[in-house]
DNA sequence: CGCCAGGGCCTCA
DNA sequence: TGAGGCCATGGC
C-alpha cells in the first residue's frame, strides 16, 4: 500500500533525483552520512550555521555569508565565540537580518562551547529537540533542520513550502500547525533519515520550480494528484 | 518598483 | 495561543 504522501516522494525523486542535502559550497567533501562517512564536528557546525542564516532567506544569499565567514576563518565555534558580534554581522550581511542572526550565532557558539556538539547530539531526538528549542533563535524548523541534516537523525522538517504544497494538494488545511503536519507526514512514511532528508529537499525543489506563492502548475510533476487547478 | 526568500521573537489582546 | 509587527539583503 502506497499512500499519497509516499506517492509524492516517488514522483519527485523520479523527476529530480537525490538532492544530496545539506548543500555546502565550501567543502565538496561534505555529504550526509548515508552517502558515505559521518560528518565531523566542523562540518556539523557549518550546517548549523547554515540553518540559522537561511531563516526566511534564500540560500543564494546564505552562500555569500558563509563564504565571507569562511574567508575570514571564522567558521568554527571557538572563532565565532571570540569574535565581536559587530564583526560577524558585517560578514553575514548578504544573508539579511544580520543583527538578529549575528546575535543568534554568538549565542549558539557560547552554548556549543560549553556543551559539545557530540554531547548534544548523543541524546534521543525528543530530548535533543527540546534542548535546541530552548536556545534563543532556534524555532521548530531550525531545530528539526539541525537534527536531520547536522545530527543525521530522522526528524521531518516542515517549512512554508511543505505547508504550501501539502495544503494545495489537499492533504492538510492552510492553517495547520507545525507539529500537527509533522506528525501527519511522519506517520505516513517509513521513519528513515535518508528518506526524510531527501523528501524535504525535494519539496524545496518543487516549490522553487513550480509551487511558488504564485503557482506555476504548468508541467508540475504533481499536477495529476493536486487538487489546485490554476 | 514591488514581491519574495528553506523563521523566530516579541507584544498585546 | 494566536495574530500581527519587526527584522534586511539580493534576485527577479
Amino acid at each position: 500500500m502506497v499512500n499519497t504522501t509516499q506517492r509524492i516522494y516517488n514522483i519527485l525523486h523520479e523527476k529530480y533525483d537525490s538532492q544530496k542535502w545539506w548543500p555546502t559550497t565550501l567543502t565538496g567533501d561534505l555529504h550526509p552520512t548515508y552517502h558515505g562517512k559521518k560528518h565531523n564536528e566542523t562540518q556539523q557546525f557549518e550546517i548549523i550555521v547554515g540553518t540559522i542564516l537561511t531563516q526566511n532567506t534564500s540560500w543564494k544569499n546564505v552562500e555569500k555569508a558563509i563564504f565571507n565567514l569562511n574567508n575570514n576563518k571564522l567558521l568554527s565555534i571557538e572563532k565565532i565565540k571570540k569574535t565581536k558580534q559587530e564583526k560577524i554581522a558585517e560578514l553575514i550581511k548578504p544573508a539579511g537580518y544580520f543583527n538578529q542572526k549575528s546575535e543568534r550565532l554568538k549565542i549558539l557558539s557560547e552554548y556549543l562551547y560549553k556543551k559539545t556538539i557530540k554531547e548534544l547530539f548523543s541524546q534521543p531526538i525528543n530530548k535533543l529537540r527540546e534542548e535546541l528549542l530552548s536556545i534563543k533563535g532556534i524555532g521548530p524548523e531550525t531545530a528539526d533542520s539541525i537534527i536531520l541534516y547536522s545530527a543525521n537523525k530522522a526528524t521531518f522538517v516542515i517549512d512554508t513550502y511543505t505547508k504550501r504544497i501539502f495544503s494545495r494538494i489537499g492533504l492538510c488545511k492552510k492553517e495547520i500547525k507545525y507539529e500537527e503536519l509533522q506528525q501527519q507526514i511522519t506517520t505516513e512514511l517509513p521513519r528513515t533519515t535518508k528518506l526524510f532528508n531527501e523528501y524535504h529537499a525535494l519539496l524545496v525543489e518543487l516549490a522553487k520550480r513550480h509551487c511558488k506563492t504564485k503557482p506555476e502548475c504548468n508541467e508540475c510533476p504533481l499536477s495529476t494528484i493536486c487538487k489546485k487547478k490554476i
Side-chain angles (χ1 to χ4, degrees):
Chain A
M1 259 313 266
V2 174
N3 58 46
T4 308
T5 303
Q6 292 173 18
R7 280 188 60 206
I8 291 171
Y9 175 81
N10 291 338
I11 292 170
L12 293 180
H13 186 262
E14 176 72 19
K15 185 80 177 177
Y16 299 142
D17 207 354
S18 294
Q19 299 298 298
K20 300 183 176 10
W21 271 29
W22 186 271
T24 56
T25 49
L26 299 178
T27 51
D29 60 330
L30 183 53
H31 40 57
T33 298
Y34 62 84
H35 284 133
K37 56 187 177 187
K38 274 176 81 95
H39 298 152
N40 60 41
E41 289 208 22
T42 304
Q43 295 168 327
Q44 288 176 323
F45 182 66
E46 181 181 333
I47 293 172
I48 293 173
V49 170
T51 64
I52 296 291
L53 293 179
T54 199
Q55 289 171 351
N56 202 34
T57 301
S58 68
W59 184 252
K60 277 292 176 194
N61 287 5
V62 175
E63 282 180 337
K64 301 175 201 296
I66 292 183
F67 180 82
N68 288 344
L69 287 175
N70 190 55
N71 254 7
N72 286 266
K73 311 281 184 222
L74 293 183
L75 213 45
S76 77
I77 295 169
E78 294 77 13
K79 286 296 183 55
I80 290 182
K81 174 181 163 13
K82 264 191 282 188
T83 308
K84 282 194 180 305
Q85 187 186 324
E86 293 73 24
K87 171 79 171 175
I88 306 290
E90 186 61 31
L91 293 172
I92 66 170
K93 215 163 191 175
Y97 307 117
F98 46 83
N99 287 320
Q100 285 187 353
K101 287 175 178 176
S102 56
E103 184 192 11
R104 289 172 189 182
L105 290 180
K106 290 288 289 180
I107 291 173
L108 205 53
S109 297
E110 302 277 357
Y111 197 95
L112 296 176
Y113 187 78
K114 293 174 185 156
K115 181 162 189 167
T116 64
I117 290 180
K118 181 177 292 187
E119 195 180 344
L120 181 66
F121 285 178
S122 69
Q123 310 174 84
I125 290 179
N126 55 347
K127 299 291 285 182
L128 171 56
R129 188 172 197 270
E130 195 179 332
E131 185 165 349
L132 288 171
L133 288 176
S134 75
I135 302 172
K136 184 180 174 186
I138 299 183
E141 186 189 335
T142 305
D144 288 331
S145 294
I146 291 172
I147 296 170
L148 180 59
Y149 292 108
S150 182
N152 269 301
K153 294 173 187 283
T155 288
F156 202 91
V157 176
I158 305 296
D159 64 352
T160 50
Y161 291 157
T162 314
K163 270 189 200 173
R164 184 192 295 165
I165 292 167
F166 272 68
S167 67
R168 279 181 180 162
I169 289 175
L171 290 172
C172 72
K173 48 182 167 36
K174 276 185 312 195
E175 320 77 28
I176 193 169
K177 292 201 295 188
Y178 187 101
E179 277 78 8
E180 200 180 339
L181 182 54
Q182 182 181 48
Q183 181 64 26
Q184 177 185 322
I185 293 178
T186 300
T187 56
E188 291 174 347
L189 296 172
R191 197 186 192 96
T192 72
T193 303
K194 176 176 169 56
L195 176 62
F196 286 8
N197 179 319
E198 289 294 345
Y199 204 140
H200 174 69
L202 286 166
L203 289 176
V204 172
E205 189 61 22
L206 178 75
K208 284 178 176 169
R209 297 198 194 201
H210 298 283
C211 213
K212 310 175 180 182
T213 48
K214 192 175 165 61
E216 296 174 12
C217 306
N218 231 5
E219 298 185 47
C220 173
L222 298 184
S223 58
T224 53
I225 61 173
C226 187
K227 284 184 178 167
K228 207 88 174 182
K229 300 292 178 194
I230 300 182

